[in-house]
Every structure is written in structure tokens, then in C-alpha cells.
Amino acid sequence: MIRLYAFLLLFILGFTASAQNDIVIKGTVIDINTQLPLELATVYFTTVKDSTIIEYATTDKNGFFSINTKKYDKPVFMKINYMGYQPYYEEEKGLLASKDYGKLYLLENVNALDNVVIKSEAAPITMKKDTLEFNAASYKVRPDSNVEALLKQLPGVDVDNDGKVTVNGKQVTQFLVNGKAFFDKDGAIALKNLPADIIKKVQVSDFKTKKEELSKQESTSDYSSINLTIDEKKNKGFFGKILGGYGSDDRYESSLIMNFFNNKQKISVLASSNNINSTGFSMDDVFDNMGGGRNSKGLSNNSSGGGKGITQSNLLGFNYSDEWSKDLEATASYDFSNTVNKNASKSDQTSFLPTGNIVTSSDSNTRNENTGNNVNLELEYKINPTTQIFVSPKLGQSRSNNNSDSSSFSEDGNGQSLNESNSKSYSESTNTNFSNVINFNKNFERKHRNLSLVFINNNTSNDSDALNLSETIFYQDSKPSDKRNQNTKKNTISDTYSLDLEYTEPITDSLRVRFGSNFDLANTINDEKTFNFDPTTESYSDLNLSLTNYITSKQNSISPKVGITWQKDKFTINVNSRTAIVDYDNHSLYLNKETDLNKKYALPYGDFQIRYKFSKSKNISFKYDYSNALPTSTQLLPVLNLSNPLNTIIGNPDLNPVEKNSANFNFRNFDFRTRSGYSLFVRGDYYKNDVVSTSIYDDSGKRTTTYTNISGTYAINAGGNWNQSIKKDAHVLRYGLGLNGGYSFDKGYTNAVLYNAKSTAITPKVYLSYDYGELLTIAPSYSFSYNETTYENYSRDATSNVIHKINLQATTYWPENLVFGNDFGYTYNSNISSDFKKDFFLWNTSLSYGILDKKMFIKVKVYDLLNQNQSATRTISATSIRDEENTVLRRYVMFSLSYKIGNFASDKKGSKKKGGRD
């Protein structure tokens, strides 16, 4: 703790010293004729040499602006832009000292002729209330670049090697196109597939829930949202890309994406089919669908290889959005997916007991197929200027069938045989889900006075039919073998309904109070029947009562709530409190015996958040949250579950609700002048009455498991990130450092003995990317991970492991029309079992040549060039160490063709002039 205080003190002193080197530029923007102040005028400084933005600000309601920046000793332009006014220019020798410009006057545009429109230069950056807007035409990218390449050019925006986007240090979690979702809100499809030259504006704002958006409340999120607006001149036509490839070992890939734009109406279609583990839609320009297997994707900290098995996938998607009238907007999407995963797995697990260990070796072969259909619809209707309703129904159905052939063998630490199990199973299931969200919002005449109603329902039905043929042999206690030839039919129905009613009343311009109530209903029915095989009838007709159960669970709750928001200048404080009055009824019919468990609770909830914005790119936030969670019906009902021959489970009716205390601190800062930024975070979670499982082993290694409450467990995580970008002529260098650390204290029971586990983890990371014009991109990175766990009252004292990861991504665009990409990774894990290789290399490479004016690319790609890929993982918990190896994708060569299609109405009239827009 002393070290933490020392670190914070050094940080504050460094921050103060840095602030002393800043200068302040200020002034007031006035209409020259009316002498009235102009609010939200954009004031910005650019270099004279290449118009690079140094710093910017917007005026307040009094027309006043203030810019904090570092000194700059080269010529600059000071520019002011305001819609409908002539732009203001002033050249300075540099930014050498603080300056007050006093009153700066703008002249309104006056049309000399009725048919003449005077055009002004569009500001590269503008602020519209809480939205930061970039003018895309002000930033240069390659003619064939996608949106991701455009974002990398914007000041304050960072796109790392994993594709994660941050703006001024805040991660972007939502991407919209003209205000609507483009297939998925995480932005992967839009960033990789939309061409940069159709984008007019990039708008950045704090992420808001639909409720916050409709009620015009401030965001309570620590994340950002990006909206891409399409140039009206490019808003009529179509564009897309088609890809096909075939390779060694019968590997193949194919993808299609087409977009049809007709002003407000937009239709997009995508399709994909491959057997190279790319289950989503990935159209990376260099590696195509192979991008799903790149080193930077999908590797967990404790892994030395890729995922589990090899997956063949098929995907078809449709996205539609339109403005049916000025008051009604609609968005609809449909997707079909089919995946088949095949995997061979083997594992060794050591389970720790107070008196010794149990070692279990297992292997399995599985085939899992899933087919899904999903339909989503969004309707937003403006009943009148102050009343809106938003409806978002979703309907989905999925079918799956799974085959498994597995075996396991367990022995104690002395090599004494305990048990052996062999099983074959086949199951089919159908899952149907319907959900809907209705947001109704009424804004009143007085600012911030608001009535909000949110209704959510979720209705799910699952039917499964499973066959199981198994035998478990016990070598101790003269226990008889457990043989099963059974058919299990299971039906689960889950219905939840939630109503959130809230009224907001402004007390002053800065203070608002909210009050209302939540009404929640949840009902679950689980009907499971198991039938033994009857040899006389040669059918599964003998009902097995010990494996048959009927369980219902019902929760009704009313949660009156009150909240306060205080927003003044740069401060925002939010306080919320509610109490959930819950009726919790659980029922079971097992072995012809009814068990009822009825409980009533009054559960408090509360959160407190404070945010302070030093400037547009520097902010600090703190949030505290207190919550409760009820145990599940399975954890509560004292009813046996005998489905696993090696683990009998029974609930504990005396469990208490889980109490959780969380605190979260964040600080972010980005300096436009130096194009550098950093962020810091600290998070802590403390649990009281946490629900954990506890097992008692018999002499044959069979477990009897129940649940209990444990208090006093906690976890603390802290970290930071610093990055900088340097641009000079054709050279662009981005580099950064990251550090994450954590400490956790866990408790648990094994064989009724309480143990403690204290875990420490630290992961530093360094990364770099370099671009040389349009010719070269290179991005190396290195991360180191150290984990250590110490135990008390346990057969094991401590365990630790070290993981090194090195990655190098490089792409060259020279000679003309030739693209050469490489993705090289090295992973070392010190604590992998001696049965597995501790390190391996994964090298993917791609060579392509563009023809037909770069509309078609001929490619050859090699995955796992060195043929070393493996999937060996070690999972360390407080009660066990598990080593596991799975089937992975190995080396293959792929030949492919890709073709880009595009035709816009403006193309027929000639190319559009570069420069500013109206």
C-alpha cells in the first residue's frame, strides 16, 4: 500500500510539473453585426507546413474558448469555423507564450445572388455539444483503404495490433453507420469492409444506453461510441468484395459482402464458408479469412497455442436500414450460421486434497454441429417532437447435435487405482428464444424533466434428447460398477419480464433527482426424465426415478429507487439507490417427494459515480457499486443430482445472498500536441457470503459436492497504458507500454478442510508500429506474464509460471500492385507439463498481386509455415492443475482470388474534388 501511495504521489508531482510547461490561449468569438457571442464555434491551430492539427477547442455559451497546450516554435495558423459564417484565419510565428486574443469577430456569409452558395473550408475537427466530429476529407489515406486505415490518421484515435480502437484513451465499444448498427455493434465488419472514401464524418461520443440516448441524459459509461456518416455523393450505388480460395489438405475459404445504398435506404448482404476456424466474418485485406487464426487473436494468457478443434463454418447475413418517414426509422437483420467442430482432446489433472492428490488422465473425441437462425428488428418512432418510442424484438432458433466418445482413469499419489470410466453419448437439442425491448420516453418543456419507461422480456425454450452409454468402475471400497444405457429427455422453459419506470425532475440547472421503480418477474421450469434401456422391449421405456426431476423456480421483485445527478461545469456526480423486495419460490419433485423452498428478501443496491473532465481529452472517474445476487435453485434445493457417476451434487437451503462491493478508478489523458497519451486504472472487488462448491472425496475418488457461503475473499487489479505517435513526412511511428497487475485472496473447502489461496499476477507489454507512407507497415510487440499462487492449509505450498509472447506483423506494398504480409509469433510457457513442448512458433504469410486497377488480387497464403502450431494449456486453480491438449489447425497452403466491386452515382459524373465540404 505504501508503494501505491508513493506511485500516486510521483504521478501527481509529475503531472503538476508537466502542467507548468503549458501555455493558455484564450479569447471570445463574436458576431460582428449583432455583437452576440457564438456558441460551439471551432477554434483550432494547425502547422503552416502541412496543416497538421496541434490543438483545438470550442466556444461556450458566452463565445469564450480556452486552449491549454505546450509551446510550439514553428509557424502556425489560428483558424475559426462556424456554420454560416466566413472562416477566420490568423498566422502566428509560433505558440511561445500564453495569449488572450480578446474579441474575435466573424462575418456572416451573405449571398450576392439567390442561386450562389458561398462555400467555406470545413474544419478538420468540430465539437457539437458532447460529440467530437472529424471531417474525413481532411485526412489522407490510400485510395483503396478501409475505415480502419482512416481511423489511424485521426488525432487522438489509436488502433492497436489487435484491432482495439481507443479515442483519447477511452475504448470504443460501439460502431454505427449513419446512426444504425452495421451487422454488429463491435465494428469488426464495418472497419474492415467499408471503404474510407465513402465516409464524410467520423463522430465520437460517450457510449450511451438507449434509455440515456432517448432521455438526453449524460453518459454513465467509461467507453466511447463512433458513428460513421456516409458522404451524400456516395450514398447512392453499390460496393462489395468477393473472395474464393482452395488449398492443401482440402482447406477452403469463400466470402462475399455487398452493400446497396439508395440515400436513406441501405441493404447489405454477406456470406462466408470455410474450414479454417474462421467462425465469424473476417475480410482482412492481407490474410482474408485466415485473419481469424493470426497470433494476435484469441490467445489466452495460460495458453501456448490456438483454440479447441477444427471448425467448418457457413454464414449468411442480411442487414437493412431505412427511414420510412421523417418520424419512423427501421433496421432489420437476419443471419444463418452452421458450424461443425471436430476435436480430439487429452488431459491430465491433479486434484489437491489435504491428505494427498488424485491424478486423472482423460481423453475424448467429439463432433459438435450447431445451426442457427436469428432475426433482429429495430423501430424508432417519433410520436411528436418530445415523445419517442423504440422497439427492438429479436427471434432466434438454434439446433445442435453432439457426439462424444470419452474415457478417464484416476489414481492416488501412490499410484493406487481409484476409478475408471468409459462413455459414448449422442445428443440433439433445439433452442428457441424471443426477446423484446420497448423504450418509451417523454421529454417535457422544462429542460431535463423526463419520463422513461423500459420494458424487457426474454422467453426461452430448450428441448434436448440424449443417449448415454457408459461404465464406471470403482477399484476401492468394493463399490459396484456403475453401468448406464439411458435416454434423457429434458425440457427447460425460462421467462423473464422487467419494467423500469423512472421520472426525472430538475431541481436547478445543475441538480436533478430521479425516482421510480423496477418490477421484475422470472420463472423457470426444468423437466428432466431419464429412461433405462429395456432389453425385453428393446426400447428406452424404463423410467429411472433417481435421474428424473421436475424443478420450478420463480422470482418476483419490486425495487423502488431514487437517484441524484449533479452536473456543474466539469463535474458530474451520479448517486443511485434501490431496494429489491423479492419473493423467491423453488419447488422440486424428485423420487415422488415434493420439496418446497420459499424465501423472502429485502436486498439493497447502490452505486456512486463521480467524473471530472480537466479538458476534452483529460478526465478522471471513480465509481463504487454495492450489489446482491441470489443463489440459483440448483445451489439451494437439497435434492440429489446423480447425472455424473463420479460427482454427486446436492444443494444447500441455508445459503445466503452474495454481497459484492466494487470500486473502480480511471484516469485518462491525451496530448494532441505531442500525440501521446496515457491511462491508469485500479479496480477492487470484495465478497461477503460468496457461493462456492465444496467436495468430499471417498476412497475411490468419487466426490459428493454441495455449496456453502464464504466471506472475506477479494481481488484487486491495477494497470496503466502509455502510447505516443510521431509523424514526420512519410514516416509514422506509434509505440506504447502497458502494465497490468493483480492480487486475489480466495478461500475454499476440500474434504471439509478450509484452505486459503493468494494469487499474484503481473503482465508488462511493449508494442510498436511503423508506417512508411504507402509502402511499409511493421508492428512488433512483446508481452511477459508472471503468475504465482501460494496456499495455506493445503497439500501444496505454491505454484508459479512464466509466459513470454513475441509477435511481429509486417506488410509491404512495394513493388507496385504487390502486397507481402507476414505474421510471426513465438510463445513460451514455463509451466506446461513435460509431456508437451514448452515453446512454439506460429508464422503465417501472404503474397498477393493486384490487377485490373487493383480491383482483383491473386493471392497465395501459408498458415503455420513452420508447422509447429499446438494447443497445450495449463489451467491452475486453487484446487487443481490441469494440462490439456486439443486438435489444432496445422500447416496448409491456400490459393485465392478476391475482387472488389463498386459503382456510385457520383462516379458517372466525374470524380469528386478533394478538400473541404459544406
mmCIF file with all atom_site columns, all heavy atoms in Angstrom, residues 505-521:
data_model
loop_
_atom_site.group_PDB
_atom_site.id
_atom_site.type_symbol
_atom_site.label_atom_id
_atom_site.label_alt_id
_atom_site.label_comp_id
_atom_site.label_asym_id
_atom_site.label_entity_id
_atom_site.label_seq_id
_atom_site.pdbx_PDB_ins_code
_atom_site.Cartn_x
_atom_site.Cartn_y
_atom_site.Cartn_z
_atom_site.occupancy
_atom_site.B_iso_or_equiv
_atom_site.pdbx_formal_charge
_atom_site.auth_seq_id
_atom_site.auth_comp_id
_atom_site.auth_asym_id
_atom_site.auth_atom_id
_atom_site.pdbx_PDB_model_num
ATOM 1   N N   . GLU A 1 505 ? -36.808 14.897  -12.406 1.00 0.00 ? 505 GLU A N   1
ATOM 2   C CA  . GLU A 1 505 ? -37.251 16.264  -12.145 1.00 0.00 ? 505 GLU A CA  1
ATOM 3   C C   . GLU A 1 505 ? -36.032 17.146  -11.869 1.00 0.00 ? 505 GLU A C   1
ATOM 4   O O   . GLU A 1 505 ? -35.233 16.866  -10.959 1.00 0.00 ? 505 GLU A O   1
ATOM 5   C CB  . GLU A 1 505 ? -38.185 16.316  -10.939 1.00 0.00 ? 505 GLU A CB  1
ATOM 6   C CG  . GLU A 1 505 ? -38.629 17.709  -10.532 1.00 0.00 ? 505 GLU A CG  1
ATOM 7   C CD  . GLU A 1 505 ? -39.481 18.391  -11.600 1.00 0.00 ? 505 GLU A CD  1
ATOM 8   O OE1 . GLU A 1 505 ? -40.122 17.669  -12.417 1.00 0.00 ? 505 GLU A OE1 1
ATOM 9   O OE2 . GLU A 1 505 ? -39.522 19.633  -11.632 1.00 0.00 ? 505 GLU A OE2 1
ATOM 10  N N   . PRO A 1 506 ? -35.839 18.208  -12.679 1.00 0.00 ? 506 PRO A N   1
ATOM 11  C CA  . PRO A 1 506 ? -34.720 19.125  -12.420 1.00 0.00 ? 506 PRO A CA  1
ATOM 12  C C   . PRO A 1 506 ? -35.029 20.038  -11.234 1.00 0.00 ? 506 PRO A C   1
ATOM 13  O O   . PRO A 1 506 ? -36.080 20.681  -11.195 1.00 0.00 ? 506 PRO A O   1
ATOM 14  C CB  . PRO A 1 506 ? -34.614 19.913  -13.732 1.00 0.00 ? 506 PRO A CB  1
ATOM 15  C CG  . PRO A 1 506 ? -35.992 19.858  -14.326 1.00 0.00 ? 506 PRO A CG  1
ATOM 16  C CD  . PRO A 1 506 ? -36.589 18.551  -13.892 1.00 0.00 ? 506 PRO A CD  1
ATOM 17  N N   . ILE A 1 507 ? -34.146 20.085  -10.261 1.00 0.00 ? 507 ILE A N   1
ATOM 18  C CA  . ILE A 1 507 ? -34.290 20.991  -9.117  1.00 0.00 ? 507 ILE A CA  1
ATOM 19  C C   . ILE A 1 507 ? -33.695 22.352  -9.476  1.00 0.00 ? 507 ILE A C   1
ATOM 20  O O   . ILE A 1 507 ? -34.307 23.390  -9.224  1.00 0.00 ? 507 ILE A O   1
ATOM 21  C CB  . ILE A 1 507 ? -33.604 20.401  -7.877  1.00 0.00 ? 507 ILE A CB  1
ATOM 22  C CG1 . ILE A 1 507 ? -34.124 18.971  -7.603  1.00 0.00 ? 507 ILE A CG1 1
ATOM 23  C CG2 . ILE A 1 507 ? -33.833 21.307  -6.666  1.00 0.00 ? 507 ILE A CG2 1
ATOM 24  C CD1 . ILE A 1 507 ? -35.618 18.885  -7.392  1.00 0.00 ? 507 ILE A CD1 1
ATOM 25  N N   . THR A 1 508 ? -32.512 22.330  -10.062 1.00 0.00 ? 508 THR A N   1
ATOM 26  C CA  . THR A 1 508 ? -31.865 23.523  -10.601 1.00 0.00 ? 508 THR A CA  1
ATOM 27  C C   . THR A 1 508 ? -31.297 23.147  -11.963 1.00 0.00 ? 508 THR A C   1
ATOM 28  O O   . THR A 1 508 ? -31.467 22.017  -12.432 1.00 0.00 ? 508 THR A O   1
ATOM 29  C CB  . THR A 1 508 ? -30.731 24.018  -9.674  1.00 0.00 ? 508 THR A CB  1
ATOM 30  O OG1 . THR A 1 508 ? -29.675 23.040  -9.673  1.00 0.00 ? 508 THR A OG1 1
ATOM 31  C CG2 . THR A 1 508 ? -31.228 24.228  -8.248  1.00 0.00 ? 508 THR A CG2 1
ATOM 32  N N   . ASP A 1 509 ? -30.586 24.072  -12.595 1.00 0.00 ? 509 ASP A N   1
ATOM 33  C CA  . ASP A 1 509 ? -29.946 23.756  -13.871 1.00 0.00 ? 509 ASP A CA  1
ATOM 34  C C   . ASP A 1 509 ? -28.903 22.653  -13.719 1.00 0.00 ? 509 ASP A C   1
ATOM 35  O O   . ASP A 1 509 ? -28.601 21.932  -14.666 1.00 0.00 ? 509 ASP A O   1
ATOM 36  C CB  . ASP A 1 509 ? -29.276 25.006  -14.458 1.00 0.00 ? 509 ASP A CB  1
ATOM 37  C CG  . ASP A 1 509 ? -30.302 26.010  -14.953 1.00 0.00 ? 509 ASP A CG  1
ATOM 38  O OD1 . ASP A 1 509 ? -31.468 25.617  -15.145 1.00 0.00 ? 509 ASP A OD1 1
ATOM 39  O OD2 . ASP A 1 509 ? -29.923 27.192  -15.133 1.00 0.00 ? 509 ASP A OD2 1
ATOM 40  N N   . SER A 1 510 ? -28.363 22.514  -12.515 1.00 0.00 ? 510 SER A N   1
ATOM 41  C CA  . SER A 1 510 ? -27.275 21.565  -12.288 1.00 0.00 ? 510 SER A CA  1
ATOM 42  C C   . SER A 1 510 ? -27.721 20.300  -11.559 1.00 0.00 ? 510 SER A C   1
ATOM 43  O O   . SER A 1 510 ? -27.044 19.275  -11.648 1.00 0.00 ? 510 SER A O   1
ATOM 44  C CB  . SER A 1 510 ? -26.149 22.228  -11.480 1.00 0.00 ? 510 SER A CB  1
ATOM 45  O OG  . SER A 1 510 ? -25.701 23.400  -12.115 1.00 0.00 ? 510 SER A OG  1
ATOM 46  N N   . LEU A 1 511 ? -28.816 20.372  -10.822 1.00 0.00 ? 511 LEU A N   1
ATOM 47  C CA  . LEU A 1 511 ? -29.224 19.272  -9.954  1.00 0.00 ? 511 LEU A CA  1
ATOM 48  C C   . LEU A 1 511 ? -30.517 18.649  -10.446 1.00 0.00 ? 511 LEU A C   1
ATOM 49  O O   . LEU A 1 511 ? -31.501 19.344  -10.708 1.00 0.00 ? 511 LEU A O   1
ATOM 50  C CB  . LEU A 1 511 ? -29.394 19.782  -8.522  1.00 0.00 ? 511 LEU A CB  1
ATOM 51  C CG  . LEU A 1 511 ? -29.761 18.728  -7.460  1.00 0.00 ? 511 LEU A CG  1
ATOM 52  C CD1 . LEU A 1 511 ? -28.635 17.710  -7.299  1.00 0.00 ? 511 LEU A CD1 1
ATOM 53  C CD2 . LEU A 1 511 ? -30.067 19.417  -6.131  1.00 0.00 ? 511 LEU A CD2 1
ATOM 54  N N   . ARG A 1 512 ? -30.512 17.313  -10.573 1.00 0.00 ? 512 ARG A N   1
ATOM 55  C CA  . ARG A 1 512 ? -31.693 16.573  -10.992 1.00 0.00 ? 512 ARG A CA  1
ATOM 56  C C   . ARG A 1 512 ? -31.903 15.395  -10.054 1.00 0.00 ? 512 ARG A C   1
ATOM 57  O O   . ARG A 1 512 ? -30.945 14.763  -9.602  1.00 0.00 ? 512 ARG A O   1
ATOM 58  C CB  . ARG A 1 512 ? -31.534 16.050  -12.432 1.00 0.00 ? 512 ARG A CB  1
ATOM 59  C CG  . ARG A 1 512 ? -31.274 17.162  -13.424 1.00 0.00 ? 512 ARG A CG  1
ATOM 60  C CD  . ARG A 1 512 ? -31.329 16.670  -14.857 1.00 0.00 ? 512 ARG A CD  1
ATOM 61  N NE  . ARG A 1 512 ? -30.277 15.731  -15.208 1.00 0.00 ? 512 ARG A NE  1
ATOM 62  C CZ  . ARG A 1 512 ? -29.063 16.094  -15.578 1.00 0.00 ? 512 ARG A CZ  1
ATOM 63  N NH1 . ARG A 1 512 ? -28.732 17.374  -15.608 1.00 0.00 ? 512 ARG A NH1 1
ATOM 64  N NH2 . ARG A 1 512 ? -28.180 15.197  -15.923 1.00 0.00 ? 512 ARG A NH2 1
ATOM 65  N N   . VAL A 1 513 ? -33.163 15.095  -9.780  1.00 0.00 ? 513 VAL A N   1
ATOM 66  C CA  . VAL A 1 513 ? -33.500 13.944  -8.944  1.00 0.00 ? 513 VAL A CA  1
ATOM 67  C C   . VAL A 1 513 ? -34.342 12.982  -9.776  1.00 0.00 ? 513 VAL A C   1
ATOM 68  O O   . VAL A 1 513 ? -35.185 13.397  -10.571 1.00 0.00 ? 513 VAL A O   1
ATOM 69  C CB  . VAL A 1 513 ? -34.245 14.377  -7.656  1.00 0.00 ? 513 VAL A CB  1
ATOM 70  C CG1 . VAL A 1 513 ? -35.552 15.070  -7.982  1.00 0.00 ? 513 VAL A CG1 1
ATOM 71  C CG2 . VAL A 1 513 ? -34.493 13.163  -6.745  1.00 0.00 ? 513 VAL A CG2 1
ATOM 72  N N   . ARG A 1 514 ? -34.088 11.692  -9.607  1.00 0.00 ? 514 ARG A N   1
ATOM 73  C CA  . ARG A 1 514 ? -34.819 10.645  -10.317 1.00 0.00 ? 514 ARG A CA  1
ATOM 74  C C   . ARG A 1 514 ? -35.469 9.721   -9.294  1.00 0.00 ? 514 ARG A C   1
ATOM 75  O O   . ARG A 1 514 ? -34.852 9.359   -8.291  1.00 0.00 ? 514 ARG A O   1
ATOM 76  C CB  . ARG A 1 514 ? -33.873 9.821   -11.201 1.00 0.00 ? 514 ARG A CB  1
ATOM 77  C CG  . ARG A 1 514 ? -33.146 10.626  -12.252 1.00 0.00 ? 514 ARG A CG  1
ATOM 78  C CD  . ARG A 1 514 ? -32.232 9.727   -13.093 1.00 0.00 ? 514 ARG A CD  1
ATOM 79  N NE  . ARG A 1 514 ? -31.272 9.013   -12.257 1.00 0.00 ? 514 ARG A NE  1
ATOM 80  C CZ  . ARG A 1 514 ? -30.121 9.517   -11.842 1.00 0.00 ? 514 ARG A CZ  1
ATOM 81  N NH1 . ARG A 1 514 ? -29.791 10.759  -12.180 1.00 0.00 ? 514 ARG A NH1 1
ATOM 82  N NH2 . ARG A 1 514 ? -29.288 8.815   -11.104 1.00 0.00 ? 514 ARG A NH2 1
ATOM 83  N N   . PHE A 1 515 ? -36.694 9.329   -9.567  1.00 0.00 ? 515 PHE A N   1
ATOM 84  C CA  . PHE A 1 515 ? -37.303 8.321   -8.721  1.00 0.00 ? 515 PHE A CA  1
ATOM 85  C C   . PHE A 1 515 ? -38.229 7.466   -9.570  1.00 0.00 ? 515 PHE A C   1
ATOM 86  O O   . PHE A 1 515 ? -38.735 7.879   -10.610 1.00 0.00 ? 515 PHE A O   1
ATOM 87  C CB  . PHE A 1 515 ? -38.041 8.952   -7.535  1.00 0.00 ? 515 PHE A CB  1
ATOM 88  C CG  . PHE A 1 515 ? -39.068 9.977   -7.913  1.00 0.00 ? 515 PHE A CG  1
ATOM 89  C CD1 . PHE A 1 515 ? -40.383 9.617   -8.169  1.00 0.00 ? 515 PHE A CD1 1
ATOM 90  C CD2 . PHE A 1 515 ? -38.719 11.323  -8.004  1.00 0.00 ? 515 PHE A CD2 1
ATOM 91  C CE1 . PHE A 1 515 ? -41.327 10.566  -8.505  1.00 0.00 ? 515 PHE A CE1 1
ATOM 92  C CE2 . PHE A 1 515 ? -39.659 12.281  -8.344  1.00 0.00 ? 515 PHE A CE2 1
ATOM 93  C CZ  . PHE A 1 515 ? -40.976 11.899  -8.598  1.00 0.00 ? 515 PHE A CZ  1
ATOM 94  N N   . GLY A 1 516 ? -38.432 6.241   -9.118  1.00 0.00 ? 516 GLY A N   1
ATOM 95  C CA  . GLY A 1 516 ? -39.250 5.298   -9.874  1.00 0.00 ? 516 GLY A CA  1
ATOM 96  C C   . GLY A 1 516 ? -39.175 3.935   -9.231  1.00 0.00 ? 516 GLY A C   1
ATOM 97  O O   . GLY A 1 516 ? -38.925 3.795   -8.020  1.00 0.00 ? 516 GLY A O   1
ATOM 98  N N   . SER A 1 517 ? -39.362 2.897   -10.053 1.00 0.00 ? 517 SER A N   1
ATOM 99  C CA  . SER A 1 517 ? -39.341 1.535   -9.523  1.00 0.00 ? 517 SER A CA  1
ATOM 100 C C   . SER A 1 517 ? -39.074 0.554   -10.659 1.00 0.00 ? 517 SER A C   1
ATOM 101 O O   . SER A 1 517 ? -39.422 0.812   -11.823 1.00 0.00 ? 517 SER A O   1
ATOM 102 C CB  . SER A 1 517 ? -40.678 1.206   -8.854  1.00 0.00 ? 517 SER A CB  1
ATOM 103 O OG  . SER A 1 517 ? -40.631 -0.084  -8.257  1.00 0.00 ? 517 SER A OG  1
ATOM 104 N N   . ASN A 1 518 ? -38.452 -0.558  -10.290 1.00 0.00 ? 518 ASN A N   1
ATOM 105 C CA  . ASN A 1 518 ? -38.279 -1.688  -11.196 1.00 0.00 ? 518 ASN A CA  1
ATOM 106 C C   . ASN A 1 518 ? -39.229 -2.806  -10.766 1.00 0.00 ? 518 ASN A C   1
ATOM 107 O O   . ASN A 1 518 ? -39.367 -3.088  -9.566  1.00 0.00 ? 518 ASN A O   1
ATOM 108 C CB  . ASN A 1 518 ? -36.845 -2.215  -11.174 1.00 0.00 ? 518 ASN A CB  1
ATOM 109 C CG  . ASN A 1 518 ? -35.859 -1.229  -11.760 1.00 0.00 ? 518 ASN A CG  1
ATOM 110 O OD1 . ASN A 1 518 ? -36.256 -0.252  -12.377 1.00 0.00 ? 518 ASN A OD1 1
ATOM 111 N ND2 . ASN A 1 518 ? -34.576 -1.489  -11.569 1.00 0.00 ? 518 ASN A ND2 1
ATOM 112 N N   . PHE A 1 519 ? -39.846 -3.449  -11.745 1.00 0.00 ? 519 PHE A N   1
ATOM 113 C CA  . PHE A 1 519 ? -40.717 -4.595  -11.484 1.00 0.00 ? 519 PHE A CA  1
ATOM 114 C C   . PHE A 1 519 ? -40.173 -5.767  -12.299 1.00 0.00 ? 519 PHE A C   1
ATOM 115 O O   . PHE A 1 519 ? -40.055 -5.682  -13.526 1.00 0.00 ? 519 PHE A O   1
ATOM 116 C CB  . PHE A 1 519 ? -42.152 -4.296  -11.903 1.00 0.00 ? 519 PHE A CB  1
ATOM 117 C CG  . PHE A 1 519 ? -42.736 -3.061  -11.252 1.00 0.00 ? 519 PHE A CG  1
ATOM 118 C CD1 . PHE A 1 519 ? -42.564 -1.815  -11.824 1.00 0.00 ? 519 PHE A CD1 1
ATOM 119 C CD2 . PHE A 1 519 ? -43.439 -3.158  -10.060 1.00 0.00 ? 519 PHE A CD2 1
ATOM 120 C CE1 . PHE A 1 519 ? -43.094 -0.676  -11.242 1.00 0.00 ? 519 PHE A CE1 1
ATOM 121 C CE2 . PHE A 1 519 ? -43.979 -2.029  -9.462  1.00 0.00 ? 519 PHE A CE2 1
ATOM 122 C CZ  . PHE A 1 519 ? -43.799 -0.785  -10.049 1.00 0.00 ? 519 PHE A CZ  1
ATOM 123 N N   . ASP A 1 520 ? -39.839 -6.860  -11.623 1.00 0.00 ? 520 ASP A N   1
ATOM 124 C CA  . ASP A 1 520 ? -39.196 -7.992  -12.291 1.00 0.00 ? 520 ASP A CA  1
ATOM 125 C C   . ASP A 1 520 ? -39.921 -9.291  -11.960 1.00 0.00 ? 520 ASP A C   1
ATOM 126 O O   . ASP A 1 520 ? -40.320 -9.528  -10.806 1.00 0.00 ? 520 ASP A O   1
ATOM 127 C CB  . ASP A 1 520 ? -37.730 -8.111  -11.863 1.00 0.00 ? 520 ASP A CB  1
ATOM 128 C CG  . ASP A 1 520 ? -36.921 -6.898  -12.249 1.00 0.00 ? 520 ASP A CG  1
ATOM 129 O OD1 . ASP A 1 520 ? -36.555 -6.786  -13.425 1.00 0.00 ? 520 ASP A OD1 1
ATOM 130 O OD2 . ASP A 1 520 ? -36.658 -6.053  -11.367 1.00 0.00 ? 520 ASP A OD2 1
ATOM 131 N N   . LEU A 1 521 ? -40.040 -10.124 -12.988 1.00 0.00 ? 521 LEU A N   1
ATOM 132 C CA  . LEU A 1 521 ? -40.637 -11.453 -12.843 1.00 0.00 ? 521 LEU A CA  1
ATOM 133 C C   . LEU A 1 521 ? -39.791 -12.443 -13.620 1.00 0.00 ? 521 LEU A C   1
ATOM 134 O O   . LEU A 1 521 ? -39.492 -12.228 -14.800 1.00 0.00 ? 521 LEU A O   1
ATOM 135 C CB  . LEU A 1 521 ? -42.078 -11.459 -13.375 1.00 0.00 ? 521 LEU A CB  1
ATOM 136 C CG  . LEU A 1 521 ? -42.756 -12.834 -13.501 1.00 0.00 ? 521 LEU A CG  1
ATOM 137 C CD1 . LEU A 1 521 ? -42.927 -13.465 -12.123 1.00 0.00 ? 521 LEU A CD1 1
ATOM 138 C CD2 . LEU A 1 521 ? -44.110 -12.703 -14.206 1.00 0.00 ? 521 LEU A CD2 1
#
